[in-house]
Amino acid sequence: MMKKRSISASKASLVLFLCQMISALDVPLDLSQPPTITQQSPKDYIVDPRENIVIQCEAKGKPPPSFSWTRNGTHFDIDKDAQVTMKPNSGTLVVNIMNGGKAEAYEGVYQCTARNERGAAISNNIVIRPSRSPLWTKEKLEPNHVREGDSLVLHCRPPVGLPPPIIFWMDNAFQRLPQSERVSQGLNGDLYFSNVQPEDTREDYICYARFNHTQTIQQKQPISVKVFSMDSLNDTIAANLSDTDIYAKPVTERQPILLTPTGSTSTKVELRGNVLLLECIAAGLPTPVIRWIKEGGELPANRTFFENFKKTLKITDVSEADSGNYKCIARNILGSAHHVISVTVKAAPYWITAPRNLVLSPGEDGTLICRANGNPKPNISWLANGVPISIAPEDPSRKVDGDTIIFSHVQERSSAVYQCNASNEYGYLLANAFVNVLAEPPRILTPANKLYQVIADSPALLDCAYFGSPKPEIEWFRGVKGSILRGSEYIFHDNGTLEIPVAQKDSTGTYTCVARNELGKIQNEVQLEVKDPTMIIKQPEYKVIQRYGQVSFECIIKHDTTLLPTIIWLKDNGELPDDERFLVGKDNLTIMNVTDKDDGTYTCIVNTTLDSVSASAVLTVVARPNPPFDLELTGQLERSVELSWIPGDENNSPITSFVIEYEDGLHEPGVWHYQTEVPGTQTTVQLKLSPYVNYSFRVIAVNEIGRSQPSEPSEQYLTKSANPDENPSNVQGIGSEPDNLVITWESLKGFQSNGPGLQYKVSWRQKDVDDEWTSVIVANVSKYIVSGTPTFVPYEIKVQALNDLGYAPEPSEVIGHSGEDLPMVAPGNVQVHVINSTLAKVHWDPVPLKTVRGHLQGYKVYYWKVQSLSRRSRRHVEKKILTFRGNKTFGMLPGLEPYSSYKLNVRVVNGKGEGPASPDKVFKTPEGVPSSPSFLKITNPTLDSLTLEWGLPTHPNGILTSYILKFQPINNTHELGPLVEIRIPANESSLILKNLNYSTRYKFYFNAQTSVGSGSQITEEAVTIMDEAMASRQVDIATQGWFIGLMCAVALLILILLIVCFIRRNKGGKYPVKEKEDAHADPEIQPMKEDDGTFGEYSDAEDHKPLKKGSRTPSDRTVKKEDSDDSLVDYGEGVNGQFNEDGSFIGQYSGKKEKEPAEGNESSEAPSPVNAMNSFV
């Protein structure tokens, strides 16, 4: 579950705006103004008689006002009372009680007057009363003797205090007496018993009165209550009266009667705004239940509360609409009683429009309005400067019209303070409002260049607090010299405030407020900055975590860069626990080793100076359920019992099922077995039981997290013994020897025995023979051997359980066999049909079943290779065996070798073993195709010939008739040329191929043939060598001394040029060779390109291309360095250049070289001098 909350700046701005409205009505303190009462004591002022009495009266005005007091309607001369002082520059009185004064002497009605040259303001009538906490009067309390079931009221009757005390009942140990629907305290403090019970007997029912004002508690004398139960009362009567006397009647149930209020109706008057409390307490047995209704209406929603076990109806903030009849109904199973309370809501005066201060300029008009309401309707009266207006000095500009005073063409002498008094029988309201006649040019009270900061899309309220008389007109401008602001996008308040309902980023800037009246003009500038709102872009998410795990909540925010956010994490709207497991990071909260108490709602609150956002997520901690408890066995029968339990805490993961296990304390103590499983909503189960088992049960709760710990075991329950219900299972009869029968079974488990003395009755007889059953009773074992049986004959077998109480039901019969012996006869008429060179099919006749002497399991075929017909040589005989299950009479022999001689025989198999073998049968396989020749080598390469050598196939599979050789050339791009085929006699082992192209790669394919066909082939590749004359010329040039010297000179020249070039370049100038080249450019001489190979190494783009798939190059064809040190063969397999007639080399060498796989990508040999020469030609 996810919650997000944003605290808008508009609420804070609204509060600011209201404050501004109030301050805008204030007259600056440097201007003349009548007095205004700013602070005074409450109307009903109850004081502590032990402390000094402070009667507050503070006021402001210009000039500062003077103060005077009246007491009980007459002037109170402070100077004549040494105990009374007035604070300096204040009207507050201090009565010194702590130095001998008595509070009772100053009880009365006080009123303060604040006066200056412009008028007089008066305070409310302040009634001073000292608080009182009197003691209880001495009284003798008789013990209360009450019969069980009767009602009882213990009266408190606390002393009358001021203010009234708070009542509560406690015992001698200062422990509050427990209260309930049966026993409760009334609003008057009495303790009501709807019916008494024996446990109500006690001698220390004590009523306490707490007087909060003086912090004192008064105690009533303890009250004794003695409850007589009917049983004890009858015992007492029986001991003192004759048998003919009447005994006390037993406790009888009674229908309700009301203890308070009495009668059927009553009335209640409450004042508007107060809390209405209505009470009904009833007697009865059983204890009555109270219900409240309002006749002809509904109880007000959201203001109605029930207290004191629904005996008290509480309605807050009552109004005239709450008047009416309220009925309480007390009900039990015998009937009901009711009472109707007629409620009338009266109202002390309350303001509709209170008079407000009026500032006028000479010649202006104005009004003071005083409107109040109440029930009954209040009387409105006016005073001027504290004097009834009817006897106050006349003012021609003033006219009184009921609740309104109208002023016309006022003059400076019209300044005064007027009091409006609204009163009825329930109270009064008094308000001061002055009329101040001033002539003042405008002034702006808001500080200049005040900065306002708001969040985008929220209201912006720009203050322009002002004063002037006459009242100035206010105008707003954007910027210093901008146009006047108008339109629906702005709101102009009467107190001068400019409201931008939805401020945007472009609202940022300077705003100018101008105030003008007939006496002048003034302006003020304020600044507005609109900030980006703070947002939670990744909120914490709902998490479910297992106990002792780790969980993290993220709270990633985006905010205005000029605002500094603070992040606070809360748990359940309170502070995080002071626990090191809670790790608060920059934008996350991590809880380590989570426990159950970490369950709850976690809230991330982001605060800036302007806004606040929050997001919440719930953490649910789940775990395996707690074990069930309070296991109880009920309804015990011989074969069943009912088990019930109370589930443990499910730990926030619903229980899906309960697993019930049992322990057999009689047969397998300490071993628990699965009994059954029931749904998680079920807490009782009927369990089926077995006889003669000492049961204990336990319950395991299961939820999605796992299984709970087992509950504590239930009580033990031993079931009665009985005959066995079942017989052993898995009864078998299998002989271990040719002359016996071994009968086996699975024994009954301990609880299946149903009683002591478990044994087994084993019975058998030969099948299909008219024999009687042979039986034997054996102990609690699982095997019995019958000896002296015929070989492999069927038997009917049964095993029956019995114990000390009797037999189990009649068991079912099973068929077994006595022991087997080896088969007597070999299969006959064995025939072999050769299908091809590797597969043959064998047939045989089945042996008679009687000769098998056991369970026929199948036939085994033994076969082996005698010799190969092509080699006429014998080898080690390796016999192979194929088994054919069941009564099968044929089978296939795969994997034979072609052109070979084989033998086989067949044997029958039973459970005991194999019978005798059939006579060996000889068969031969025909020829097949041969395997590939064992090797192919290519040697002695020349300009136009290659020598091929090969070995015989490893497996000729027949008589070889010939070899087939195929070959084709491969060019430099690895494309294949025309294919040539040669047939070679079978007795040859080598061949010289002539008339081949020089320096050419060939690929060879070679295989052998029999009369059946061609076998698999072997492939190789080889290369003929280059022209011998060219190779000789290259060798001659490369070994000449002049050539070696030339190469050294060229290398030295290149090194010198590089050094000079490097020096000249570092000096910033041109080197001589370059200058000459620039001056005498020869069009015939062009720089050699990198692509031409000049000054670069020879690189063969084809070096890394592999040969065609399947090709392989024998190591025999590799040309060794010591054999042709000067040959171009080392660098390529072809030469594209040519020689002139004089032997000079022309053209650029561009040969290709196929490198050996072992040599890598680059040759490790030094470059030949011929190659170096070719690079410079």
Side-chain angles (χ1 to χ4, degrees):
M1 180 179 68
M2 192 76 61
K3 295 182 180 178
K4 184 176 180 183
R5 181 185 64 185
S6 177
I7 303 174
S8 173
S10 60
K11 293 184 179 180
S13 301
L14 181 59
V15 174
L16 175 63
F17 166 58
L18 293 175
C19 295
Q20 292 169 344
M21 287 190 66
I22 295 171
S23 63
L25 299 177
D26 289 343
V27 178
L29 292 177
D30 62 336
L31 298 178
S32 297
Q33 58 179 295
T36 300
I37 301 290
T38 58
Q39 192 172 4
Q40 57 183 316
S41 294
K43 293 178 182 179
D44 189 9
Y45 188 17
I46 300 174
V47 298
D48 189 335
R50 300 166 298 180
E51 297 180 355
N52 292 340
I53 301 173
V54 178
I55 311 174
Q56 290 185 329
C57 180
E58 304 290 344
K60 66 177 182 178
K62 182 71 174 181
S66 60
F67 297 90
S68 62
W69 284 86
T70 64
R71 177 182 173 187
N72 297 328
T74 61
H75 177 68
F76 183 30
D77 192 346
I78 299 170
D79 295 334
K80 293 183 179 180
D81 193 332
Q83 300 295 333
V84 180
T85 58
M86 184 183 293
K87 291 184 177 181
N89 302 318
S90 168
T92 297
L93 296 181
V94 178
V95 181
N96 196 336
I97 301 299
M98 302 179 71
N99 288 332
K102 291 187 177 182
E104 292 80 2
Y106 294 92
E107 192 169 349
V109 179
Y110 293 78
Q111 189 172 42
C112 170
T113 300
R115 188 186 308 275
N116 69 7
E117 63 188 27
R118 286 194 167 250
I122 61 175
S123 69
N124 292 322
N125 286 331
I126 302 171
V127 180
I128 301 295
R129 295 186 295 170
S131 65
R132 291 187 294 274
S133 53
L135 298 175
W136 251 288
T137 58
K138 292 290 184 180
E139 58 180 328
K140 185 177 181 181
L141 301 176
E142 296 292 335
N144 292 273
H145 297 278
V146 194
R147 186 174 60 173
E148 180 183 357
D150 288 351
S151 61
L152 175 65
V153 180
L154 300 182
H155 298 287
C156 181
R157 299 191 185 101
V160 178
L162 186 68
I166 297 173
I167 305 301
F168 51 93
W169 289 80
M170 294 197 298
D171 58 17
N172 276 330
F174 296 100
Q175 298 297 316
R176 284 186 179 269
L177 296 175
Q179 299 190 22
S180 63
E181 289 184 342
R182 187 177 63 85
V183 183
S184 61
Q185 177 183 315
L187 294 176
N188 63 353
D190 293 346
L191 190 63
Y192 292 86
F193 294 78
S194 295
N195 51 80
V196 295
Q197 301 295 326
E199 60 265 25
D200 296 327
T201 298
R202 63 190 309 153
E203 296 181 351
D204 57 349
Y205 285 94
I206 305 175
C207 182
Y208 289 85
R210 184 175 65 208
F211 298 90
N212 283 343
H213 211 81
T214 57
Q215 296 296 311
T216 58
I217 296 178
Q218 303 291 355
Q219 173 184 335
K220 187 182 177 74
Q221 289 293 325
I223 302 174
S224 174
V225 174
K226 175 72 172 178
V227 180
F228 292 97
S229 66
M230 291 301 99
D231 292 340
S232 62
L233 190 59
N234 282 330
D235 291 343
T236 303
I237 293 173
N240 295 282
L241 299 178
S242 65
D243 295 339
T244 59
D245 291 320
I246 300 174
Y247 280 67
K249 295 180 180 180
V251 176
T252 58
E253 296 179 337
R254 304 187 316 277
Q255 68 180 26
I257 60 171
L258 289 173
L259 298 175
T260 184
T262 58
S264 60
T265 62
S266 60
T267 61
K268 172 82 171 179
V269 176
E270 191 57 79
L271 292 183
R272 179 181 185 270
N274 287 354
V275 175
L276 174 65
L277 294 173
L278 303 178
E279 180 181 56
C280 274
I281 300 178
L285 185 66
T287 303
V289 176
I290 306 297
R291 186 169 66 91
W292 291 89
I293 62 173
K294 183 181 182 183
E295 293 182 344
E298 298 290 335
L299 295 174
N302 303 323
R303 295 189 294 116
T304 300
F305 304 92
F306 298 100
E307 296 179 345
N308 197 20
F309 308 98
K310 294 192 176 180
K311 299 174 186 178
T312 302
L313 171 65
K314 177 180 176 181
I315 301 176
T316 60
D317 193 22
V318 294
S319 64
E320 289 84 345
D322 295 321
S323 297
N325 293 330
Y326 292 82
K327 179 187 284 188
C328 70
I329 303 168
R331 185 186 304 277
N332 66 11
I333 58 176
L334 298 180
S336 64
H338 68 270
H339 185 93
V340 176
I341 305 173
S342 180
V343 175
T344 302
V345 178
K346 298 293 185 177
Y350 57 91
W351 290 119
I352 296 176
T353 304
R356 299 178 62 184
N357 293 336
L358 192 60
V359 178
L360 299 174
S361 64
E364 277 193 318
D365 302 334
T367 59
L368 287 178
I369 300 174
C370 177
R371 290 179 184 162
N373 201 358
N375 185 12
K377 189 172 180 63
N379 179 47
I380 303 293
S381 62
W382 288 96
L383 296 86
N385 295 325
V387 178
I389 201 166
S390 59
I391 62 175
E394 291 191 7
D395 183 350
S397 66
R398 178 182 70 209
K399 177 183 177 182
V400 178
D401 184 9
D403 59 6
T404 304
I405 301 179
I406 303 171
F407 297 92
S408 303
H409 299 91
V410 296
Q411 300 302 319
E412 187 173 355
R413 65 177 179 274
S414 300
S415 297
V417 182
Y418 292 87
Q419 290 83 32
C420 173
N421 186 303
S423 61
N424 65 11
E425 60 185 283
Y426 297 108
Y428 73 94
L429 293 172
L430 178 68
N432 291 277
F434 64 66
V435 175
N436 196 13
V437 181
L438 294 171
E440 285 291 327
R443 61 173 69 181
I444 294 178
L445 308 178
T446 301
N449 289 314
K450 184 175 181 180
L451 176 63
Y452 294 90
Q453 295 179 327
V454 298
I455 295 297
D457 298 325
S458 63
L461 298 170
L462 307 182
D463 187 20
C464 185
Y466 65 90
F467 182 79
S469 184
K471 181 180 178 180
E473 293 182 357
I474 303 297
E475 293 178 328
W476 280 91
F477 299 85
R478 179 75 183 267
V480 180
K481 298 181 180 180
S483 58
I484 189 170
L485 298 180
R486 293 189 176 88
S488 59
E489 64 267 29
Y490 302 102
I491 298 175
F492 303 94
H493 294 282
D494 290 340
N495 67 340
T497 298
L498 169 66
E499 179 180 354
I500 306 174
V502 183
Q504 302 294 335
K505 292 288 284 185
D506 57 6
S507 303
T508 298
T510 302
Y511 290 81
T512 303
C513 165
V514 177
R516 59 165 60 88
N517 66 9
E518 60 190 37
L519 300 179
K521 167 187 171 183
I522 192 171
Q523 71 180 38
N524 186 38
E525 296 173 4
V526 295
Q527 308 296 325
L528 175 64
E529 291 182 358
V530 181
K531 307 291 187 178
D532 290 325
T534 305
M535 295 184 294
I536 300 178
I537 58 177
K538 187 163 186 182
Q539 304 177 5
E541 298 178 347
Y542 173 73
K543 295 290 179 67
V544 177
I545 190 71
Q546 290 191 31
R547 187 187 295 163
Y548 310 124
Q550 175 180 326
V551 66
S552 291
F553 292 106
E554 287 189 298
C555 185
I556 300 177
I557 65 172
K558 178 182 179 183
H559 62 92
D560 193 287
T561 55
T562 62
L563 299 178
L564 182 62
T566 58
I567 298 179
I568 301 173
W569 287 92
L570 302 179
K571 179 183 184 294
D572 297 329
N573 295 323
E575 293 184 358
L576 289 178
D578 185 13
D579 192 329
E580 61 184 10
R581 297 181 301 107
F582 288 76
L583 306 177
V584 178
K586 177 183 177 183
D587 49 18
N588 61 64
L589 168 66
T590 301
I591 307 174
M592 313 289 290
N593 196 23
V594 173
T595 64
D596 292 339
K597 66 181 180 180
D598 300 329
D599 198 273
T601 300
Y602 289 83
T603 304
C604 162
I605 301 178
V606 185
N607 292 317
T608 68
T609 55
L610 298 181
D611 64 348
S612 177
V613 293
S614 66
S616 299
V618 173
L619 172 63
T620 300
V621 181
V622 296
R624 296 185 299 172
N626 291 350
F629 57 94
D630 282 355
L631 273 65
E632 184 178 6
L633 296 178
T634 56
Q636 289 92 338
L637 300 175
E638 290 186 3
R639 294 296 183 102
S640 69
V641 69
E642 185 175 274
L643 173 66
S644 61
W645 62 89
I646 297 176
D649 193 336
E650 63 184 18
N651 292 325
N652 293 322
S653 180
I655 295 175
T656 57
S657 63
F658 292 100
V659 176
I660 292 88
E661 296 180 340
Y662 72 92
E663 176 197 29
D664 181 0
L666 192 61
H667 303 98
E668 294 180 290
V671 179
W672 289 91
H673 301 277
Y674 172 85
Q675 172 87 7
T676 187
E677 187 169 352
V678 297
T681 56
Q682 188 172 327
T683 57
T684 60
V685 63
Q686 194 77 19
L687 300 175
K688 293 183 179 180
L689 307 179
S690 296
Y692 195 54
V693 177
N694 193 13
Y695 281 101
S696 290
F697 298 97
R698 69 183 187 184
V699 183
I700 299 171
V702 182
N703 64 9
E704 289 187 358
I705 309 305
R707 295 162 62 104
S708 74
Q709 291 293 321
S711 68
E712 291 296 322
S714 70
E715 59 181 304
Q716 290 187 333
Y717 177 47
L718 177 61
T719 55
K720 294 182 179 179
S721 301
N723 295 1
D725 291 328
E726 51 191 311
N727 288 300
S729 59
N730 196 23
V731 177
Q732 293 182 337
I734 303 174
S736 60
E737 298 295 337
D739 59 350
N740 74 6
L741 172 65
V742 180
I743 302 173
T744 60
W745 60 90
E746 288 187 10
S747 299
L748 298 181
K749 296 182 180 178
F751 72 90
Q752 293 174 312
S753 66
N754 287 5
L758 177 64
Q759 300 180 87
Y760 299 101
K761 179 182 179 182
V762 183
S763 304
W764 68 92
R765 68 180 178 183
Q766 189 171 336
K767 191 174 182 298
D768 300 329
V769 177
D770 192 15
D771 279 351
E772 294 295 328
W773 287 94
T774 302
S775 299
V776 63
I777 295 178
V778 299
N780 188 9
V781 295
S782 59
K783 182 173 72 172
Y784 182 76
I785 301 175
V786 180
S787 302
T789 62
T791 301
F792 194 67
V793 295
Y795 279 86
E796 295 176 331
I797 303 168
K798 58 184 180 181
V799 180
Q800 185 178 22
L802 68 152
N803 62 18
D804 291 350
L805 278 76
Y807 285 88
E810 185 66 24
S812 58
E813 301 171 5
V814 297
I815 303 299
H817 287 80
S818 56
E820 300 180 64
D821 205 347
L822 293 177
M824 302 170 59
V825 182
N829 195 23
V830 177
Q831 301 292 329
V832 179
H833 173 60
V834 177
I835 298 175
N836 56 39
S837 60
T838 60
L839 180 66
K841 184 177 183 181
V842 59
H843 293 262
W844 62 88
D845 290 341
V847 299
L849 289 179
K850 289 185 178 181
T851 65
V852 176
R853 297 201 296 182
H855 295 286
L856 175 64
Q857 295 186 355
Y859 293 87
K860 286 186 179 180
V861 177
Y862 288 75
Y863 64 101
W864 61 95
K865 180 180 175 182
V866 179
Q867 66 176 10
S868 173
L869 298 178
S870 58
R871 297 179 180 175
R872 300 297 178 181
S873 61
R874 295 182 178 272
R875 63 174 184 173
H876 174 70
V877 175
E878 180 183 353
K879 289 189 176 182
K880 297 180 180 179
I881 305 172
L882 286 178
T883 302
F884 300 93
R885 297 292 178 184
N887 197 21
K888 204 169 184 181
T889 60
F890 66 92
M892 306 299 292
L893 304 180
L896 303 177
E897 294 185 13
Y899 206 52
S900 299
S901 176
Y902 280 87
K903 287 184 179 182
L904 65 78
N905 59 52
V906 184
R907 311 177 192 196
V908 67
V909 182
N910 67 8
K912 190 71 171 178
E914 300 176 3
S918 66
D920 292 346
K921 188 73 174 180
V922 179
F923 66 96
K924 298 178 181 179
T925 55
E927 289 187 80
V929 297
S931 62
S932 62
S934 57
F935 66 88
L936 175 62
K937 291 197 297 185
I938 303 174
T939 59
N940 301 325
T942 65
L943 287 176
D944 60 353
S945 68
L946 293 168
T947 299
L948 280 68
E949 298 177 357
W950 59 88
L952 289 171
T954 305
H955 301 286
N957 294 338
I959 299 175
L960 296 182
T961 58
S962 62
Y963 294 100
I964 302 297
L965 173 66
K966 298 177 183 178
F967 63 93
Q968 58 190 146
I970 305 174
N971 63 15
N972 291 336
T973 60
H974 299 282
E975 294 176 353
L976 299 174
L979 186 66
V980 179
E981 181 177 330
I982 300 174
R983 183 176 296 274
I984 304 171
N987 56 354
E988 297 290 339
S989 60
S990 63
L991 176 67
I992 298 175
L993 281 180
K994 299 182 178 179
N995 300 321
L996 301 178
N997 296 328
Y998 67 88
S999 189
T1000 302
R1001 180 179 295 278
Y1002 287 90
K1003 186 166 187 177
F1004 299 91
Y1005 313 88
F1006 192 70
N1007 59 359
Q1009 277 190 334
T1010 65
S1011 60
V1012 177
S1014 298
S1016 56
Q1017 64 183 9
I1018 185 172
T1019 62
E1020 289 291 350
E1021 293 184 10
V1023 182
T1024 55
I1025 64 173
M1026 297 173 58
D1027 180 52
E1028 294 176 352
M1030 180 181 298
S1032 176
R1033 180 63 56 87
Q1034 288 182 350
V1035 171
D1036 293 340
I1037 295 174
T1039 56
Q1040 298 300 311
W1042 64 268
F1043 181 77
I1044 295 174
L1046 177 62
M1047 292 300 100
C1048 291
V1050 170
L1052 181 61
L1053 178 61
I1054 291 172
L1055 179 61
I1056 293 172
L1057 288 175
L1058 289 175
I1059 293 172
V1060 172
C1061 176
F1062 178 74
I1063 294 172
R1064 296 284 294 182
R1065 187 169 183 177
N1066 286 345
K1067 290 182 178 181
K1070 295 182 179 180
Y1071 50 88
V1073 176
K1074 177 64 178 175
E1075 290 175 353
K1076 292 180 181 179
E1077 288 175 348
D1078 293 341
H1080 307 286
D1082 189 349
E1084 296 297 327
I1085 301 175
Q1086 297 295 336
M1088 301 184 75
K1089 296 181 181 179
E1090 187 178 347
D1091 291 342
D1092 296 335
T1094 310
F1095 298 107
E1097 290 183 333
Y1098 164 71
S1099 175
D1100 185 357
E1102 298 296 322
D1103 280 356
H1104 308 299
K1105 291 184 180 179
L1107 297 175
K1108 293 294 183 179
K1109 183 177 180 181
S1111 66
R1112 56 184 183 178
T1113 304
S1115 57
D1116 303 48
R1117 69 171 179 85
T1118 303
V1119 180
K1120 304 295 183 181
K1121 178 181 177 182
E1122 57 268 24
D1123 296 338
S1124 54
D1125 190 52
D1126 299 327
S1127 173
L1128 289 179
V1129 175
D1130 285 342
Y1131 298 91
E1133 296 170 0
V1135 178
N1136 293 331
Q1138 298 177 355
F1139 286 90
N1140 286 336
E1141 291 179 357
D1142 60 355
S1144 63
F1145 182 72
I1146 62 174
Q1148 193 173 13
Y1149 170 68
S1150 61
K1152 309 281 184 186
K1153 176 184 178 185
E1154 172 105 4
K1155 299 181 180 179
E1156 291 296 320
E1159 293 176 359
N1161 292 334
E1162 298 293 339
S1163 173
S1164 60
E1165 300 292 339
S1168 168
V1170 176
N1171 277 348
M1173 178 193 73
N1174 290 342
S1175 299
F1176 287 90
V1177 172

